mmCIF file with all atom_site columns, all heavy atoms in Angstrom:
data_model
loop_
_atom_site.group_PDB
_atom_site.id
_atom_site.type_symbol
_atom_site.label_atom_id
_atom_site.label_alt_id
_atom_site.label_comp_id
_atom_site.label_asym_id
_atom_site.label_entity_id
_atom_site.label_seq_id
_atom_site.pdbx_PDB_ins_code
_atom_site.Cartn_x
_atom_site.Cartn_y
_atom_site.Cartn_z
_atom_site.occupancy
_atom_site.B_iso_or_equiv
_atom_site.pdbx_formal_charge
_atom_site.auth_seq_id
_atom_site.auth_comp_id
_atom_site.auth_asym_id
_atom_site.auth_atom_id
_atom_site.pdbx_PDB_model_num
ATOM 1   N N   . LEU A 1 16  ? 11.311 40.919 15.102 1.00 91.00 ? 581 LEU A N   1
ATOM 2   C CA  . LEU A 1 16  ? 10.439 42.109 15.260 1.00 91.00 ? 581 LEU A CA  1
ATOM 3   C C   . LEU A 1 16  ? 11.278 43.341 15.287 1.00 91.00 ? 581 LEU A C   1
ATOM 4   O O   . LEU A 1 16  ? 12.306 43.427 15.983 1.00 91.00 ? 581 LEU A O   1
ATOM 5   C CB  . LEU A 1 16  ? 9.637  41.984 16.553 1.00 91.00 ? 581 LEU A CB  1
ATOM 6   C CG  . LEU A 1 16  ? 8.631  43.121 16.866 1.00 91.00 ? 581 LEU A CG  1
ATOM 7   C CD1 . LEU A 1 16  ? 7.531  43.147 15.851 1.00 91.00 ? 581 LEU A CD1 1
ATOM 8   C CD2 . LEU A 1 16  ? 8.097  42.942 18.281 1.00 91.00 ? 581 LEU A CD2 1
ATOM 9   N N   . LYS A 1 17  ? 10.841 44.326 14.499 1.00 88.00 ? 582 LYS A N   1
ATOM 10  C CA  . LYS A 1 17  ? 11.430 45.687 14.537 1.00 88.00 ? 582 LYS A CA  1
ATOM 11  C C   . LYS A 1 17  ? 10.389 46.660 14.997 1.00 88.00 ? 582 LYS A C   1
ATOM 12  O O   . LYS A 1 17  ? 9.308  46.756 14.423 1.00 88.00 ? 582 LYS A O   1
ATOM 13  C CB  . LYS A 1 17  ? 11.951 46.104 13.155 1.00 88.00 ? 582 LYS A CB  1
ATOM 14  C CG  . LYS A 1 17  ? 13.258 45.456 12.774 1.00 88.00 ? 582 LYS A CG  1
ATOM 15  C CD  . LYS A 1 17  ? 13.821 46.085 11.504 1.00 88.00 ? 582 LYS A CD  1
ATOM 16  C CE  . LYS A 1 17  ? 15.181 45.465 11.161 1.00 88.00 ? 582 LYS A CE  1
ATOM 17  N NZ  . LYS A 1 17  ? 15.796 46.119 9.959  1.00 88.00 ? 582 LYS A NZ  1
ATOM 18  N N   . VAL A 1 18  ? 10.688 47.396 16.069 1.00 80.00 ? 583 VAL A N   1
ATOM 19  C CA  . VAL A 1 18  ? 9.723  48.334 16.658 1.00 80.00 ? 583 VAL A CA  1
ATOM 20  C C   . VAL A 1 18  ? 10.416 49.683 16.799 1.00 80.00 ? 583 VAL A C   1
ATOM 21  O O   . VAL A 1 18  ? 11.473 49.779 17.459 1.00 80.00 ? 583 VAL A O   1
ATOM 22  C CB  . VAL A 1 18  ? 9.218  47.855 18.020 1.00 80.00 ? 583 VAL A CB  1
ATOM 23  C CG1 . VAL A 1 18  ? 8.164  48.855 18.534 1.00 80.00 ? 583 VAL A CG1 1
ATOM 24  C CG2 . VAL A 1 18  ? 8.595  46.477 17.917 1.00 80.00 ? 583 VAL A CG2 1
ATOM 25  N N   . ALA A 1 19  ? 9.848  50.712 16.164 1.00 67.00 ? 584 ALA A N   1
ATOM 26  C CA  . ALA A 1 19  ? 10.371 52.086 16.333 1.00 67.00 ? 584 ALA A CA  1
ATOM 27  C C   . ALA A 1 19  ? 9.708  52.687 17.561 1.00 67.00 ? 584 ALA A C   1
ATOM 28  O O   . ALA A 1 19  ? 8.481  52.834 17.584 1.00 67.00 ? 584 ALA A O   1
ATOM 29  C CB  . ALA A 1 19  ? 10.038 52.932 15.091 1.00 67.00 ? 584 ALA A CB  1
ATOM 30  N N   . VAL A 1 20  ? 10.499 52.970 18.585 1.00 55.00 ? 585 VAL A N   1
ATOM 31  C CA  . VAL A 1 20  ? 9.944  53.469 19.824 1.00 55.00 ? 585 VAL A CA  1
ATOM 32  C C   . VAL A 1 20  ? 10.749 54.684 20.304 1.00 55.00 ? 585 VAL A C   1
ATOM 33  O O   . VAL A 1 20  ? 11.880 54.885 19.978 1.00 55.00 ? 585 VAL A O   1
ATOM 34  C CB  . VAL A 1 20  ? 10.020 52.386 20.939 1.00 55.00 ? 585 VAL A CB  1
ATOM 35  C CG1 . VAL A 1 20  ? 9.089  51.250 20.616 1.00 55.00 ? 585 VAL A CG1 1
ATOM 36  C CG2 . VAL A 1 20  ? 11.433 51.917 21.148 1.00 55.00 ? 585 VAL A CG2 1
ATOM 37  N N   . LEU A 1 54  ? 13.820 40.739 19.263 1.00 88.00 ? 619 LEU A N   1
ATOM 38  C CA  . LEU A 1 54  ? 13.829 42.121 18.724 1.00 88.00 ? 619 LEU A CA  1
ATOM 39  C C   . LEU A 1 54  ? 15.168 42.344 17.968 1.00 88.00 ? 619 LEU A C   1
ATOM 40  O O   . LEU A 1 54  ? 16.222 41.899 18.445 1.00 88.00 ? 619 LEU A O   1
ATOM 41  C CB  . LEU A 1 54  ? 13.723 43.138 19.847 1.00 88.00 ? 619 LEU A CB  1
ATOM 42  C CG  . LEU A 1 54  ? 12.336 43.310 20.472 1.00 88.00 ? 619 LEU A CG  1
ATOM 43  C CD1 . LEU A 1 54  ? 12.408 44.149 21.747 1.00 88.00 ? 619 LEU A CD1 1
ATOM 44  C CD2 . LEU A 1 54  ? 11.368 43.950 19.487 1.00 88.00 ? 619 LEU A CD2 1
ATOM 45  N N   . VAL A 1 55  ? 15.123 43.026 16.879 1.00 84.00 ? 620 VAL A N   1
ATOM 46  C CA  . VAL A 1 55  ? 16.325 43.408 16.149 1.00 84.00 ? 620 VAL A CA  1
ATOM 47  C C   . VAL A 1 55  ? 16.389 44.904 16.047 1.00 84.00 ? 620 VAL A C   1
ATOM 48  O O   . VAL A 1 55  ? 15.353 45.576 16.049 1.00 84.00 ? 620 VAL A O   1
ATOM 49  C CB  . VAL A 1 55  ? 16.366 42.770 14.728 1.00 84.00 ? 620 VAL A CB  1
ATOM 50  C CG1 . VAL A 1 55  ? 16.357 41.248 14.795 1.00 84.00 ? 620 VAL A CG1 1
ATOM 51  C CG2 . VAL A 1 55  ? 15.163 43.228 13.895 1.00 84.00 ? 620 VAL A CG2 1
ATOM 52  N N   . PRO A 1 56  ? 17.606 45.466 16.004 1.00 75.00 ? 621 PRO A N   1
ATOM 53  C CA  . PRO A 1 56  ? 17.735 46.934 15.957 1.00 75.00 ? 621 PRO A CA  1
ATOM 54  C C   . PRO A 1 56  ? 17.014 47.504 14.746 1.00 75.00 ? 621 PRO A C   1
ATOM 55  O O   . PRO A 1 56  ? 17.179 46.979 13.610 1.00 75.00 ? 621 PRO A O   1
ATOM 56  C CB  . PRO A 1 56  ? 19.269 47.149 15.898 1.00 75.00 ? 621 PRO A CB  1
ATOM 57  C CG  . PRO A 1 56  ? 19.835 45.925 16.514 1.00 75.00 ? 621 PRO A CG  1
ATOM 58  C CD  . PRO A 1 56  ? 18.918 44.798 16.115 1.00 75.00 ? 621 PRO A CD  1
ATOM 59  N N   . HIS A 1 57  ? 16.245 48.528 14.918 1.00 67.00 ? 622 HIS A N   1
ATOM 60  C CA  . HIS A 1 57  ? 15.468 49.123 13.832 1.00 67.00 ? 622 HIS A CA  1
ATOM 61  C C   . HIS A 1 57  ? 16.370 49.837 12.847 1.00 67.00 ? 622 HIS A C   1
ATOM 62  O O   . HIS A 1 57  ? 15.994 50.014 11.646 1.00 67.00 ? 622 HIS A O   1
ATOM 63  C CB  . HIS A 1 57  ? 14.398 50.050 14.386 1.00 67.00 ? 622 HIS A CB  1
ATOM 64  C CG  . HIS A 1 57  ? 13.327 50.360 13.397 1.00 67.00 ? 622 HIS A CG  1
ATOM 65  N ND1 . HIS A 1 57  ? 13.452 51.309 12.393 1.00 67.00 ? 622 HIS A ND1 1
ATOM 66  C CD2 . HIS A 1 57  ? 12.075 49.809 13.236 1.00 67.00 ? 622 HIS A CD2 1
ATOM 67  C CE1 . HIS A 1 57  ? 12.339 51.321 11.688 1.00 67.00 ? 622 HIS A CE1 1
ATOM 68  N NE2 . HIS A 1 57  ? 11.498 50.471 12.187 1.00 67.00 ? 622 HIS A NE2 1
ATOM 69  N N   . ASP A 1 58  ? 17.534 50.327 13.283 1.00 66.00 ? 623 ASP A N   1
ATOM 70  C CA  . ASP A 1 58  ? 18.391 51.131 12.422 1.00 66.00 ? 623 ASP A CA  1
ATOM 71  C C   . ASP A 1 58  ? 19.445 50.303 11.728 1.00 66.00 ? 623 ASP A C   1
ATOM 72  O O   . ASP A 1 58  ? 20.379 50.852 11.125 1.00 66.00 ? 623 ASP A O   1
ATOM 73  C CB  . ASP A 1 58  ? 19.059 52.248 13.214 1.00 66.00 ? 623 ASP A CB  1
ATOM 74  C CG  . ASP A 1 58  ? 19.812 51.685 14.428 1.00 66.00 ? 623 ASP A CG  1
ATOM 75  O OD1 . ASP A 1 58  ? 19.713 50.476 14.701 1.00 66.00 ? 623 ASP A OD1 1
ATOM 76  O OD2 . ASP A 1 58  ? 20.509 52.485 15.131 1.00 66.00 ? 623 ASP A OD2 1
ATOM 77  N N   . GLU A 1 59  ? 19.358 48.977 11.771 1.00 63.00 ? 624 GLU A N   1
ATOM 78  C CA  . GLU A 1 59  ? 20.315 48.089 11.099 1.00 63.00 ? 624 GLU A CA  1
ATOM 79  C C   . GLU A 1 59  ? 19.596 47.348 9.976  1.00 63.00 ? 624 GLU A C   1
ATOM 80  O O   . GLU A 1 59  ? 18.943 46.329 10.218 1.00 63.00 ? 624 GLU A O   1
ATOM 81  C CB  . GLU A 1 59  ? 20.956 47.098 12.075 1.00 63.00 ? 624 GLU A CB  1
ATOM 82  C CG  . GLU A 1 59  ? 21.829 47.732 13.129 1.00 63.00 ? 624 GLU A CG  1
ATOM 83  C CD  . GLU A 1 59  ? 22.533 46.756 13.972 1.00 63.00 ? 624 GLU A CD  1
ATOM 84  O OE1 . GLU A 1 59  ? 22.579 45.556 13.587 1.00 63.00 ? 624 GLU A OE1 1
ATOM 85  O OE2 . GLU A 1 59  ? 23.081 47.107 15.045 1.00 63.00 ? 624 GLU A OE2 1
ATOM 86  N N   . PRO A 1 60  ? 19.741 47.824 8.736  1.00 58.00 ? 625 PRO A N   1
ATOM 87  C CA  . PRO A 1 60  ? 19.051 47.165 7.646  1.00 58.00 ? 625 PRO A CA  1
ATOM 88  C C   . PRO A 1 60  ? 19.525 45.765 7.380  1.00 58.00 ? 625 PRO A C   1
ATOM 89  O O   . PRO A 1 60  ? 18.818 44.935 6.811  1.00 58.00 ? 625 PRO A O   1
ATOM 90  C CB  . PRO A 1 60  ? 19.336 48.076 6.430  1.00 58.00 ? 625 PRO A CB  1
ATOM 91  C CG  . PRO A 1 60  ? 20.604 48.809 6.836  1.00 58.00 ? 625 PRO A CG  1
ATOM 92  C CD  . PRO A 1 60  ? 20.533 49.003 8.287  1.00 58.00 ? 625 PRO A CD  1
ATOM 93  N N   . SER A 1 61  ? 20.745 45.383 7.836  1.00 52.00 ? 626 SER A N   1
ATOM 94  C CA  . SER A 1 61  ? 21.281 44.083 7.583  1.00 52.00 ? 626 SER A CA  1
ATOM 95  C C   . SER A 1 61  ? 20.755 43.047 8.584  1.00 52.00 ? 626 SER A C   1
ATOM 96  O O   . SER A 1 61  ? 21.015 41.865 8.454  1.00 52.00 ? 626 SER A O   1
ATOM 97  C CB  . SER A 1 61  ? 22.803 44.105 7.651  1.00 52.00 ? 626 SER A CB  1
ATOM 98  O OG  . SER A 1 61  ? 23.239 44.495 8.915  1.00 52.00 ? 626 SER A OG  1
ATOM 99  N N   . ALA A 1 62  ? 20.064 43.517 9.620  1.00 57.00 ? 627 ALA A N   1
ATOM 100 C CA  . ALA A 1 62  ? 19.566 42.604 10.654 1.00 57.00 ? 627 ALA A CA  1
ATOM 101 C C   . ALA A 1 62  ? 18.315 41.886 10.163 1.00 57.00 ? 627 ALA A C   1
ATOM 102 O O   . ALA A 1 62  ? 17.207 42.172 10.611 1.00 57.00 ? 627 ALA A O   1
ATOM 103 C CB  . ALA A 1 62  ? 19.242 43.379 11.948 1.00 57.00 ? 627 ALA A CB  1
ATOM 104 N N   . THR A 1 63  ? 18.519 40.998 9.248  1.00 61.00 ? 628 THR A N   1
ATOM 105 C CA  . THR A 1 63  ? 17.418 40.205 8.693  1.00 61.00 ? 628 THR A CA  1
ATOM 106 C C   . THR A 1 63  ? 17.708 38.736 8.869  1.00 61.00 ? 628 THR A C   1
ATOM 107 O O   . THR A 1 63  ? 18.800 38.273 8.514  1.00 61.00 ? 628 THR A O   1
ATOM 108 C CB  . THR A 1 63  ? 17.262 40.515 7.182  1.00 61.00 ? 628 THR A CB  1
ATOM 109 O OG1 . THR A 1 63  ? 16.936 41.917 7.019  1.00 61.00 ? 628 THR A OG1 1
ATOM 110 C CG2 . THR A 1 63  ? 16.122 39.661 6.602  1.00 61.00 ? 628 THR A CG2 1
ATOM 111 N N   . TRP A 1 149 ? 9.430  40.876 5.394  1.00 92.00 ? 714 TRP A N   1
ATOM 112 C CA  . TRP A 1 149 ? 8.841  41.748 6.424  1.00 92.00 ? 714 TRP A CA  1
ATOM 113 C C   . TRP A 1 149 ? 7.403  42.042 6.101  1.00 92.00 ? 714 TRP A C   1
ATOM 114 O O   . TRP A 1 149 ? 7.006  42.239 4.954  1.00 92.00 ? 714 TRP A O   1
ATOM 115 C CB  . TRP A 1 149 ? 9.648  43.085 6.514  1.00 92.00 ? 714 TRP A CB  1
ATOM 116 C CG  . TRP A 1 149 ? 11.039 42.908 7.023  1.00 92.00 ? 714 TRP A CG  1
ATOM 117 C CD1 . TRP A 1 149 ? 12.164 42.800 6.268  1.00 92.00 ? 714 TRP A CD1 1
ATOM 118 C CD2 . TRP A 1 149 ? 11.454 42.841 8.372  1.00 92.00 ? 714 TRP A CD2 1
ATOM 119 N NE1 . TRP A 1 149 ? 13.262 42.678 7.085  1.00 92.00 ? 714 TRP A NE1 1
ATOM 120 C CE2 . TRP A 1 149 ? 12.844 42.705 8.389  1.00 92.00 ? 714 TRP A CE2 1
ATOM 121 C CE3 . TRP A 1 149 ? 10.789 42.908 9.591  1.00 92.00 ? 714 TRP A CE3 1
ATOM 122 C CZ2 . TRP A 1 149 ? 13.611 42.611 9.525  1.00 92.00 ? 714 TRP A CZ2 1
ATOM 123 C CZ3 . TRP A 1 149 ? 11.498 42.796 10.770 1.00 92.00 ? 714 TRP A CZ3 1
ATOM 124 C CH2 . TRP A 1 149 ? 12.898 42.632 10.731 1.00 92.00 ? 714 TRP A CH2 1
ATOM 125 N N   . PRO A 1 167 ? 10.462 47.446 6.048  1.00 46.00 ? 732 PRO A N   1
ATOM 126 C CA  . PRO A 1 167 ? 10.378 48.186 7.305  1.00 46.00 ? 732 PRO A CA  1
ATOM 127 C C   . PRO A 1 167 ? 10.450 49.692 7.071  1.00 46.00 ? 732 PRO A C   1
ATOM 128 O O   . PRO A 1 167 ? 11.273 50.163 6.316  1.00 46.00 ? 732 PRO A O   1
ATOM 129 C CB  . PRO A 1 167 ? 11.583 47.646 8.120  1.00 46.00 ? 732 PRO A CB  1
ATOM 130 C CG  . PRO A 1 167 ? 11.948 46.371 7.476  1.00 46.00 ? 732 PRO A CG  1
ATOM 131 C CD  . PRO A 1 167 ? 11.605 46.526 6.025  1.00 46.00 ? 732 PRO A CD  1
ATOM 132 N N   . SER A 1 168 ? 9.608  50.400 7.723  1.00 49.00 ? 733 SER A N   1
ATOM 133 C CA  . SER A 1 168 ? 9.660  51.864 7.698  1.00 49.00 ? 733 SER A CA  1
ATOM 134 C C   . SER A 1 168 ? 10.060 52.359 9.099  1.00 49.00 ? 733 SER A C   1
ATOM 135 O O   . SER A 1 168 ? 10.150 51.567 10.019 1.00 49.00 ? 733 SER A O   1
ATOM 136 C CB  . SER A 1 168 ? 8.315  52.474 7.264  1.00 49.00 ? 733 SER A CB  1
ATOM 137 O OG  . SER A 1 168 ? 7.354  52.194 8.275  1.00 49.00 ? 733 SER A OG  1
ATOM 138 N N   . SER A 1 169 ? 10.210 53.614 9.231  1.00 48.00 ? 734 SER A N   1
ATOM 139 C CA  . SER A 1 169 ? 10.681 54.147 10.521 1.00 48.00 ? 734 SER A CA  1
ATOM 140 C C   . SER A 1 169 ? 9.561  54.413 11.516 1.00 48.00 ? 734 SER A C   1
ATOM 141 O O   . SER A 1 169 ? 9.802  54.794 12.639 1.00 48.00 ? 734 SER A O   1
ATOM 142 C CB  . SER A 1 169 ? 11.458 55.446 10.265 1.00 48.00 ? 734 SER A CB  1
ATOM 143 O OG  . SER A 1 169 ? 10.596 56.375 9.636  1.00 48.00 ? 734 SER A OG  1
ATOM 144 N N   . GLU A 1 171 ? 6.569  52.263 11.937 1.00 73.00 ? 736 GLU A N   1
ATOM 145 C CA  . GLU A 1 171 ? 5.689  51.175 12.267 1.00 73.00 ? 736 GLU A CA  1
ATOM 146 C C   . GLU A 1 171 ? 6.457  49.982 12.807 1.00 73.00 ? 736 GLU A C   1
ATOM 147 O O   . GLU A 1 171 ? 7.667  49.837 12.558 1.00 73.00 ? 736 GLU A O   1
ATOM 148 C CB  . GLU A 1 171 ? 4.888  50.735 11.038 1.00 73.00 ? 736 GLU A CB  1
ATOM 149 C CG  . GLU A 1 171 ? 3.904  51.754 10.523 1.00 73.00 ? 736 GLU A CG  1
ATOM 150 C CD  . GLU A 1 171 ? 3.162  51.257 9.296  1.00 73.00 ? 736 GLU A CD  1
ATOM 151 O OE1 . GLU A 1 171 ? 3.701  50.432 8.562  1.00 73.00 ? 736 GLU A OE1 1
ATOM 152 O OE2 . GLU A 1 171 ? 2.025  51.679 9.095  1.00 73.00 ? 736 GLU A OE2 1
#
Side-chain angles (χ1 to χ4, degrees):
L581 182 65
K582 284 189 177 184
V583 182
V585 294
L619 286 169
V620 296
H622 198 279
D623 55 354
E624 293 186 15
S626 61
T628 298
W714 293 96
S733 67
S734 59
E736 294 180 331

